[in-house]
Amino acid sequence: MSTTEAQPATTDGGHGPDHVWSVDEHLDDILGAVRPLEPIELQLPDAQGCVLVEDVTVPVALPPFDNSSMDGYAVRVADVAGASTEFPAVLTVIGDVAAGSGGADVLTVGPGEAARIMTGAPLPPGAQAVVPVEWTDGGSGGGPATTMRAAGANPEDSTGEVRVHRPAKDRAHVRAVGSDVKAGDTALEAGTVLGPPQIGLLAAIGRATVLVHPRPRVVVMSTGSELVQPGEKLAAGQIYDSNSFALTAAARAAGAIAYRVGAVTDDADELRATIEDQLVRADLLVTTGGVSVGAYDVVKEALSSAADEDEPGSGVDFRKLAMQPGKPQGFGSIGPDHTPLLALPGNPVSSYVSFELFVRPVIRALMGLKDVHRTTVRATLTADEPLGSPAGKRQFLRAVYDAEAGTVTPVGGSGSHLIAALAHADSLLIVPEDTIEVAPGTEVEVVLLTQ
């Protein structure tokens, strides 16, 4: 069941059917209708990639006790003062302190004594510092030791004498209680995306679960009777379905749990049935193809009247945008939970550019992220000749951005079917609506597709 709390779209967005929407108008309308998914409590392994809903406070200090950062010997500072290779400090070894030791198992270090201690083990009472085993003879009576045998491997190592060849300052090689975080500190703030380091911190402070906005479930489907799945044989007039693969991958890269549905033929009833079947696992539906004005534009045919009977003004609105590529677009809500749906054009470049501009921000908004947009920068155009752009349309050209040089170079032409160039691009070069030509050397706006 969807928990997007998407607000139903109006059938015309407040505009007449002939209105040409700007890119910003369309995006604002979409984001204004989408709310973050309802918070849920998840186990740490399931929370990766999710956004925290509340601040997490440290319940106990980390580390929770003074412990050794080295394998060596816990000593009193006065007992090793002035120690050298020629005149080592000779101490009595009273036993081992292993990681996990505590309470009655911990020894007390008195004057002239030392305790063998392992990395992570609690500093025993009486000890003030740790000397690494390399600063000692390891209890062998010979020269400097290079390693420390495991506790119990040689019982005689736990008693007898050790020669210390160097002095140690107070608290040397000791990790102080609370030196990482103190009890009551804020470990992570609301809005934090939980990656591996954040998951590790939560586990370290004892949190088994955490309250987050879940990753949205996005269902992607292509439409078109001409589409064939990769690996199958092409017949005359057929092409491989690349859009559903590209957009599913893009949804996952944006942080969603994405499901790809095999291409649906140009049949409105079949498409409606497929969408209805997918609603049970969708927080967002994305279709590609069938939104233009052709005789077989099945998405437009199937969804133009798909309003929710119990919610006035819901349904899917099909629009013309002042952009290239990606002029035809659809947006609305469908089903009993008013699941948001974005209908994208079918040409590969058009669908991918549309995903970046409209779908990706929706996914990020559903996740509860504050910044839903890609990074944009200014760069100097490098090209062999001026770039032309249609008047009144915002053009998005595939490009390669050179951060070091501060330049951007177009890749391929402006055709919306040229998918090979898209595979070599790392950015989109923007030509504004009021510009019909951009000369080389001009500073332009660039959307980075990798940030």
Side-chain angles (χ1 to χ4, degrees):
M1 182 174 181
S2 172
T3 55
T4 61
E5 293 190 4
Q7 304 301 307
T10 59
T11 54
D12 64 0
H15 301 285
D18 295 327
H19 176 71
V20 177
W21 293 62
S22 71
V23 172
D24 295 335
E25 280 181 322
H26 184 59
L27 180 57
D28 287 346
D29 188 50
I30 293 171
L31 293 180
V34 175
R35 302 289 179 267
L37 297 177
E38 285 294 319
I40 60 174
E41 193 85 15
L42 290 179
Q43 297 286 330
L44 292 189
D46 300 323
Q48 183 173 351
C50 296
V51 177
L52 272 179
V53 171
E54 58 187 5
D55 292 348
V56 175
T57 302
V58 179
V60 294
L62 189 65
F65 50 83
D66 290 349
N67 68 90
S68 176
S69 65
M70 304 286 287
D71 291 335
Y73 291 84
V75 301
R76 294 160 59 97
V77 172
D79 290 337
V80 295
S84 66
T85 303
E86 186 177 0
F87 299 105
V90 181
L91 305 177
T92 300
V93 180
I94 59 173
D96 283 337
V97 185
S101 299
D105 296 332
V106 176
L107 306 169
T108 298
V109 177
E113 295 179 339
R116 278 210 326 161
I117 192 167
M118 312 303 160
T119 301
L123 188 71
Q128 299 166 316
V130 172
V131 291
V133 66
E134 294 87 355
W135 295 8
T136 76
D137 67 352
S140 67
T146 58
T147 187
M148 177 176 278
R149 285 176 287 211
N154 256 348
E156 62 270 20
D157 290 342
S158 298
T159 58
E161 292 182 339
V162 63
R163 287 168 172 77
V164 180
H165 303 145
R166 292 175 58 178
K169 295 180 179 179
D170 187 41
R171 309 295 291 176
H173 307 295
V174 174
R175 301 168 178 150
V177 58
S179 57
D180 193 350
V181 289
K182 296 179 174 60
D185 284 353
T186 299
L188 296 171
E189 295 182 349
T192 300
V193 180
L194 298 181
Q198 291 76 29
I199 296 290
L201 174 57
L202 290 168
I205 62 175
R207 288 292 295 264
T209 63
V210 67
L211 188 66
V212 296
H213 292 296
R215 296 163 61 200
R217 300 164 301 164
V218 178
V219 173
V220 178
M221 65 181 74
S222 292
T223 63
S225 298
E226 78 280 10
L227 299 178
V228 175
Q229 297 306 297
E232 298 179 5
K233 187 176 181 180
L234 289 178
Q238 293 182 325
I239 59 172
Y240 288 119
D241 171 21
S242 63
N243 285 355
S244 67
F245 287 90
L247 300 190
T248 301
R252 288 174 181 154
I257 299 170
Y259 305 102
R260 190 191 69 85
V261 179
V264 181
T265 60
D266 291 319
D267 182 280
D269 291 335
E270 180 184 346
L271 177 60
R272 277 192 291 263
T274 302
I275 290 176
E276 194 172 296
D277 288 344
Q278 294 300 320
L279 284 173
V280 69
R281 63 171 181 174
D283 297 310
L284 172 65
L285 282 161
V286 180
T287 67
T288 173
V291 296
S292 191
V293 292
Y296 296 97
D297 288 325
V298 64
V299 176
K300 197 170 183 179
E301 178 186 351
L303 300 180
S304 290
S305 59
D308 300 317
E309 295 180 0
D310 61 336
E311 189 65 52
S314 64
V316 180
D317 178 33
F318 291 89
R319 305 165 175 176
K320 293 173 287 187
L321 267 63
M323 64 179 286
Q324 185 185 62
K327 176 182 177 181
Q329 301 283 337
F331 167 63
S333 68
I334 60 172
D337 297 310
H338 309 298
T339 304
L341 181 146
L342 276 81
L344 311 182
N347 280 318
V349 177
S350 298
S351 69
Y352 187 78
V353 170
S354 299
F355 181 97
E356 284 290 336
L357 297 180
F358 308 123
V359 181
R360 189 177 189 275
V362 169
I363 291 173
R364 310 290 281 179
L366 291 172
M367 292 175 65
L369 289 165
K370 294 179 181 178
D371 186 3
V372 301
H373 301 290
R374 289 281 198 188
T375 299
T376 60
V377 297
R378 304 290 295 183
T380 301
L381 173 65
T382 59
D384 295 332
E385 56 187 23
L387 301 179
S389 185
K393 291 186 178 182
R394 187 179 305 181
Q395 189 174 41
F396 297 87
L397 297 172
R398 289 137 290 174
V400 174
Y401 172 65
D402 186 331
E404 185 174 344
T407 60
V408 64
T409 306
V411 178
S414 60
S416 58
H417 65 293
L418 301 174
I419 192 171
L422 183 62
H424 297 285
D426 61 9
S427 57
L428 296 175
L429 187 163
I430 302 176
V431 182
E433 291 89 338
D434 58 357
T435 302
I436 60 173
E437 185 175 276
V438 183
T442 303
E443 187 177 72
V444 294
E445 186 177 7
V446 180
V447 179
L448 304 183
L449 299 179
T450 56
Q451 297 183 31

